[in-house]
Every structure is written in structure tokens, then in C-alpha cells.
Amino acid sequence: METQDLLAKLDEETKDNISKVLWMHEFNAEEIPDEIIERLESEKNSNEGFGERMQYLLREKLKNPDSFTPNYKNVYETLIKHSKSLTPHQAYAMTFFLGMDSSKGYKSIPAKADFRIPQDDAPQWDYQLGWHFIVGSCIGENGKEYGVQFMFWQYALLPPEIAKHFGLSDIENQFIELHLAVSEAGGKHHRSKPLAIAGTTGLIDYSNNPFDYTLGKNKIKSLSKDSTFPLQIKGWGVDLDPDSGSEIEVDITLTQTKEYLLQGKDGCDPCCGGVGTLYYSVPNLRVDPDQSILRINEEEVSLKIGKFWYDHQWCNGMLPAGNPRIKVLRAANNMNKKAAGGWDWFMAQFKGDRELTMASIHSHEMLHFLNQTGTNPPGTMDAEVSGKYVDEESNSKKVKGTLRITKWIRSEKSQDPDLYPITNVWYPQEWEFSFGEDVPEDIRNFIMIPIVSVGQSGFFANGLHYSEGAVYLKDPEGKSIGRGFAESTGYADPILNRLRLAGLPATEEMRDELEIPEPSSWLKLISFLYILWPSNRSKLKELLSNCVDTL
């Protein structure tokens, strides 16, 4: 295919994502390797190919609905009408309008985690969703402090058997986002828009021993065999904010000082009926000063010290919410209220090589703090948090505490306002924590304060707006006791923008048409009667005894 033909075939946003992951400011087919050009030209990578596969998926769901699940016939028939031709990004965004049967067909989450380290650090292609997430704080030779966020967010567009039906390899079936941000303490927050790439482009690759995971020129790479660490992260992006546009780059090597931390219940957070999350972390990663730099525009900074944190998770039924693969659990779900949506996640790395990782899932009591766009910020929000405390010897234990939010910041920026409109939603800007005797006294009560005052929000390519950034840890008297990271999601309603991203009319009418129906009174009744049957009641009790501790 001639260069001009390729330019005409690809939409502008796809070309921009391709150019950015190859570290080019503008798309130039002449500078793209021939093997990538060949993949870009392929039928698998065509808009018609993505549309055909989406329509096949939707029709399969119509033919084979899950039991004890609302009827999604109207939703799926509407999506079929609008999915004949889809860009890769549109196909990805459209998956977030699927119903609770969206989790069907992926490899089941096991009832118990049985990790093989370091093999399981590899991306897990057969599950619905996964990510490699690396964040931390560091100080440069110039004396400045920086916060860094780096993540590969991976989604399997089709269940594996359907992907095989279309001749797609495991990697060709993936859609990956790069999230990259650098905050300058007391200054600016620089964030690239999410760079969103389909595996059919040939720009995603992975090899093992040593671990080498690439998205164009961006990478997560082990520097030794038989061990994930030392680990290099390498990324580049452009902040398109018209007020503070910038080019950012990181090339950071991290060394391991602590053992892997199994989150939740031995790595299940939770694992229940084939859905849930497998999740572990590595805290207290140290910056290698001989192999670590970051760059903001023309200023390249050698890093001398820093502490980072690594999370690896893979899951089914999280985004979008999905059904368990066991009927009695589906029936039981119909008795529950629909989740409020969203969460707040935190990691804290204290002086003395001690860490806390914790999360608070949004409850219905928090709804009046969400989607707030008024002139005044919300009031004080109180919530419970739970997670793990890790001592200096890598011993860990479950902890519970309380969170109070009294300070908020309005999100008035976007890294690409045309694609991700500004939400003007209020987000938390300071967090106060209190724990009991399970946590050492000197860090039992502390405050998280962002290292920048301008906000640290961004977007996922599925339209989800979130805040993520480095924070100072201070005791109640204001004394510095460490560094951490704070993440908040679900404060802004993503649906209208998600409709746009999926190539659908961004109207209230379309929103209503694609609203996932709640269980009807009849469905609730037959679910209740099914659960009451003695053998089903016993099975449910046994299943929940293995799940409930981690919910």
C-alpha cells in the first residue's frame, strides 16, 4: 500500500496514537518500520474487521444469554446497529456498554491464587483485564522532587475462543493504554493523554526471560534473567494542555528491596465464581542512580534517589462489571443493590522502610460526593479503608482504618480536550487517615497532601476520569514521615463521553437506550426461590465463606 493510501485508511486519532507510541510528534508513514506498515494494512486491523468482530460478539451474547441475568436484547441490538465499522478505540469503548455477561468466555479466575513468581509478572492475555502499574517519588541531581506514574493497562477485546475464531493471536486480541505522568513538586503536573493501541497494529510485544513488555518504543523490561528486577521503565509522551504543553520522558531503573506482597486474601481481591482480581505488589523499589533519568521538555534530570511501588493485577468482571460463572452466585447478585462505582486507592511508604496499601470502594452513602460540579466543593467525606501493613522485614498483615476528606480540587484541565472534555468535577485534594493498634503508633494517624497544588487528573481511553499523583505523608503536627501515591476514580460520570468514544450519539436518549437494565421483580423472585432451595443455599454459603473476607 502506498503511503497516501495508508494515510487515508487510518483515522486521525489512530494515527496520532501510533505516532506517539513510536515517539514521533506527527504521523509519518515513511518512518514506520515495514513490518508495522504491513500489519497496519491488514484486514485484521481494519475498521471493518473490528466492526465484524464486535457484531459477532454481540450476536453470540444474544444467542447464549447467562441465566439469572437481565435481558440485554435491546442494548445489544442497538449496539449491533452502530458497530458495522469501528476504529480500534471505538471497539474498545463499546465493550464498556456490555451487560453483566461481559465476563463470559474469559479464563476463569481461580478460587485460590497460586502465583508462580516471576513467571506471573507476564501479561495475562486470557483474562479480561490486567495492568502493570509503577508509581513513586524521586529526587534529581538538581535537587527537585518529582512524582512519576507509569502504567500499561491491558484489555482483551474478545474472549479467547472468539479471538481464535477470527484467527487473532493472544497479543492481536489486546488493546493497551499507556499512562504516563510526571509531577514537579510545588510546580506543574505533566501528563500525556492515554496512548491507546490495538494489538493488530504489531506495536505490542512481549518476551520472557528476561521479561520484556513493549508498546511501540515504551517498555517495561527486566535487566536480568530469571528475575523481574532490576526493572527498567521507559516512556515518552506529550501533554497537550494549551496552558502548559510539555514533552515528558522517563528512563528509570528500579531495584528490589522487599518481598512480593500478596494483596487481599493470599492474592485474591477477591476470587469468587470465576470473577474477581488476582493482585500482588512489590513495595519499596529503589531508583538506581546510575541508570535513571527523566526529561521535561529540554531539561534532562539525572535521578539520585527515589522509592517506587509496583502493582500487577489481572481480573474478570471488574470493568465492566461482570457475572460470576456459577448460577447461585448470579442469583444472589440480583438481591444486591447496584454498586455505586469507583474507588480511592493509596500507597504510603514511610520512613523506616514500612508501608501501607489501602483502598476504599465507593458506597451508596458516598453518592452525594460524586459528580459534583457546583461552585462550592463537597463537604467532609468519611469512609472506611482496608488493606495491608508491611513492616521493615516484609511481614504483612491486614489492617482497617478510617479516611476523612475535607479538601477538594476542581478538575478544570484535560490532556486532550477534544477527545476527553473537561469535567469540572470536584476531586479529593487531601486525605486524613486513622488506624488502630495494628499499625505502629508513630504512623497510626497521618495526612496525605499532593506534591502539587494544581491537581493530577487524567483520563482512561474508555472515558473514565481519574486523579492520580504523588503525595507527601505528614504526621498530625506537620512533620514529614514519608511519600506515597493517591488515586481516585468514579467522581465524574463517564457515560456521555464514553458514547462519543464508542462512535455513538452522545445524547441522553442513547444513554437511556444503552442503560443496563436492573433485575426485574420477577427475576428477583425466581432468584430468591432458587437461593432458598437447600442444596443451593448450602452451596452459596460455602462459596461466600471463601469470598466475603476480601470483598
Side-chain angles (χ1 to χ4, degrees):
M1 179 181 289
E2 296 293 328
T3 300
Q4 290 303 117
D5 292 336
L6 181 60
L7 287 170
K9 184 177 181 181
L10 298 173
D11 65 281
E12 290 303 313
E13 199 234 328
T14 298
K15 288 191 290 187
D16 185 62
N17 281 321
I18 291 168
S19 65
K20 293 298 192 298
V21 300
L22 291 172
W23 297 20
M24 299 188 298
H25 285 277
E26 295 182 354
F27 185 88
N28 184 348
E30 303 299 330
E31 295 183 14
I32 296 176
D34 290 344
E35 61 270 22
I36 300 300
I37 292 290
E38 186 176 342
R39 299 288 290 277
L40 295 176
E41 292 177 289
S42 72
E43 181 59 32
K44 289 180 180 179
N45 192 57
S46 68
N47 291 2
E48 292 73 23
F50 281 100
E52 179 188 4
R53 295 191 291 270
M54 176 59 72
Q55 293 199 331
Y56 183 93
L57 173 66
L58 293 166
R59 291 192 173 102
E60 284 295 300
K61 292 188 177 299
L62 284 170
K63 287 190 293 184
N64 302 289
D66 271 345
S67 60
F68 294 106
T69 301
N71 188 330
Y72 303 135
K73 183 173 184 289
N74 291 338
V75 173
Y76 292 165
E77 287 182 346
T78 298
L79 292 175
I80 287 171
K81 291 177 187 175
H82 291 271
S83 58
K84 184 176 181 181
S85 177
L86 298 170
T87 69
H89 193 171
Q90 288 171 344
Y92 171 62
M94 191 170 283
T95 63
F96 289 81
F97 289 102
L98 300 182
M100 293 292 290
D101 55 1
S102 60
S103 59
K104 187 175 184 177
Y106 292 95
K107 185 176 179 179
S108 287
I109 295 289
K112 290 185 177 181
D114 183 20
F115 297 121
R116 298 169 303 136
I117 304 295
Q119 295 94 321
D120 282 336
D121 280 320
Q124 306 290 323
W125 308 123
D126 288 342
Y127 297 88
Q128 189 176 21
L129 173 65
W131 57 90
H132 292 74
F133 170 85
I134 300 159
V135 295
S137 298
C138 48
I139 295 177
E141 292 289 352
N142 59 2
K144 291 184 180 180
E145 181 172 349
Y146 303 90
V148 176
Q149 178 196 359
F150 184 100
M151 177 171 65
F152 282 5
W153 170 275
Q154 157 217 342
Y155 192 94
L157 291 173
L158 301 168
E161 287 304 312
I162 294 180
K164 288 177 185 175
H165 170 80
F166 284 100
L168 297 177
S169 68
D170 288 340
I171 289 180
E172 287 175 326
N173 189 37
Q174 306 303 312
F175 191 89
I176 293 184
E177 302 180 35
L178 168 67
H179 290 245
L180 176 65
V182 176
S183 293
E184 300 177 82
K188 294 180 179 179
H189 177 66
H190 308 269
R191 179 181 290 276
S192 170
K193 74 169 185 177
L195 299 181
I197 292 290
T200 49
T201 62
L203 290 167
I204 300 169
D205 200 9
Y206 174 75
S207 59
N208 200 11
N209 204 19
F211 176 104
D212 191 356
Y213 190 9
T214 60
L215 180 63
K217 290 187 176 182
N218 308 281
K219 65 176 57 190
I220 308 171
K221 182 178 181 180
S222 173
L223 300 184
S224 66
K225 287 189 174 183
D226 303 317
S227 174
T228 301
F229 298 93
L231 187 71
Q232 178 191 32
I233 57 172
K234 195 170 182 177
W236 178 89
V238 177
D239 188 338
L240 298 177
D241 180 353
D243 296 329
S244 59
S246 55
E247 185 177 313
I248 53 176
E249 180 182 350
V250 299
D251 186 348
I252 299 173
T253 295
L254 302 166
T255 60
Q256 183 180 1
T257 67
K258 283 198 165 183
E259 300 299 322
Y260 280 66
L261 168 66
L262 303 187
Q263 298 278 14
K265 185 177 181 181
D266 300 323
C268 284
D269 199 25
C271 302
C272 202
V275 297
T277 303
L278 295 168
Y279 179 16
Y280 58 75
S281 308
V282 184
N284 208 342
L285 299 173
R286 300 299 180 91
V287 167
D288 182 340
D290 296 325
Q291 303 183 77
S292 300
I293 63 101
L294 62 79
R295 182 172 62 83
I296 301 172
N297 294 322
E298 302 305 316
E299 183 185 13
E300 182 172 299
V301 180
S302 296
L303 303 178
K304 61 179 182 179
I305 56 172
K307 281 187 182 182
F308 277 66
W309 182 281
Y310 166 75
D311 272 355
H312 184 203
Q313 293 182 245
W314 58 100
C315 49
N316 293 338
M318 179 181 170
L319 286 173
N323 273 336
R325 294 294 96 219
I326 298 173
K327 284 200 292 186
V328 72
L329 287 172
R330 292 201 291 273
N333 276 351
N334 289 328
M335 302 294 103
N336 299 324
K337 263 187 175 182
K338 184 179 178 181
W343 64 86
D344 295 272
W345 172 91
F346 312 92
M347 73 84 166
Q349 303 203 111
F350 299 96
K351 292 178 179 179
D353 292 335
R354 301 163 296 169
E355 296 85 29
L356 272 170
T357 172
M358 53 225 162
S360 176
I361 305 301
H362 291 172
S363 67
H364 287 275
E365 289 71 30
M366 298 179 191
L367 286 176
H368 61 286
F369 294 99
L370 310 181
N371 303 310
Q372 296 299 310
T373 58
T375 303
N376 297 318
T380 299
M381 185 177 104
D382 292 297
E384 294 182 353
V385 292
S386 61
K388 293 283 180 79
Y389 167 70
V390 186
D391 70 15
E392 56 270 30
E393 301 296 329
S394 289
N395 301 306
S396 66
K397 59 183 174 182
K398 290 183 180 180
V399 294
K400 290 187 177 181
T402 59
L403 160 67
R404 169 163 285 196
I405 297 168
T406 58
K407 293 187 179 180
W408 303 78
I409 186 169
R410 196 168 174 176
S411 182
E412 299 174 332
K413 297 211 176 226
S414 170
Q415 292 71 44
D416 188 342
D418 292 335
L419 201 58
Y420 306 101
I422 294 166
T423 66
N424 291 310
V425 162
W426 291 96
Y427 272 84
Q429 181 69 352
E430 190 171 302
W431 303 261
E432 301 173 15
F433 295 90
S434 181
F435 288 87
E437 294 181 357
D438 285 342
V439 174
E441 186 174 2
D442 63 321
I443 58 173
R444 203 169 286 167
N445 300 287
F446 62 93
I447 303 168
M448 286 187 169
I449 301 171
I451 71 169
V452 297
S453 61
V454 294
Q456 303 183 91
S457 68
F459 291 83
F460 281 85
N462 60 50
L464 184 69
H465 186 208
Y466 74 113
S467 176
E468 179 93 51
V471 295
Y472 300 120
L473 306 180
K474 295 183 181 284
D475 69 13
E477 284 72 47
K479 179 183 175 184
S480 175
I481 55 175
R483 297 291 186 270
F485 245 73
E487 172 183 285
S488 298
T489 77
Y491 285 84
D493 184 349
I495 300 301
L496 289 179
N497 193 38
R498 187 170 287 162
L499 288 168
R500 291 175 59 256
L501 293 171
L504 298 162
T507 63
E508 291 294 340
E509 291 76 16
M510 180 58 70
R511 178 191 185 118
D512 292 343
E513 206 166 337
L514 295 181
E515 180 73 23
I516 299 301
E518 291 289 307
S520 64
S521 298
W522 170 248
L523 182 55
K524 286 183 178 181
L525 175 61
I526 62 172
S527 297
F528 179 68
L529 294 174
Y530 185 79
I531 294 166
L532 278 184
W533 192 260
S535 60
N536 294 334
R537 190 166 62 224
S538 297
K539 184 176 183 180
L540 179 62
K541 184 177 179 181
E542 180 184 355
L543 287 166
L544 291 180
S545 69
N546 292 322
C547 304
V548 73
D549 285 346
T550 57
L551 290 174

